[in-house]
Amino acid sequence: MKNEAMDIRQLDSLGRVVIPKKMRVALNISENDNLRISLEGNAIVIRRDQPLCAICRRERDLIEIGEAYICSGCAAEISEKF
């Protein structure tokens, strides 16, 4: 997304800010989607929530186990130990 999508919004008294519709549409973010909010340097970064490995917090090569996820690296390490 290019900078033409940049918008200025005001923070309300409860610390909320509205993500502009054009940005939500461009990123396919819908009502009730979970978003991950983090600090990166002096910036607040908002991303769509993605599953993470329950052990190392990696975002890639995940295997779903029940309601949790582990990455293939952690799965291999576990299988070596048992």
Side-chain angles (χ1 to χ4, degrees), residues 18-62:
V18 174
I19 300 170
K21 184 176 181 177
K22 61 187 171 188
M23 292 181 186
R24 295 191 317 264
V25 169
L27 296 174
N28 195 27
I29 296 173
S30 302
E31 184 178 341
N32 296 320
D33 282 354
N34 290 322
L35 302 175
R36 184 180 309 163
I37 303 171
S38 60
L39 285 175
E40 294 184 11
N42 64 349
I44 297 170
V45 179
I46 302 173
R47 294 185 174 96
R48 181 190 337 266
D49 188 36
Q50 305 250 341
L52 298 173
C53 175
I55 299 167
C56 71
R57 311 305 289 167
R58 186 176 179 187
E59 293 183 9
R60 297 183 183 177
D61 303 321
L62 298 177

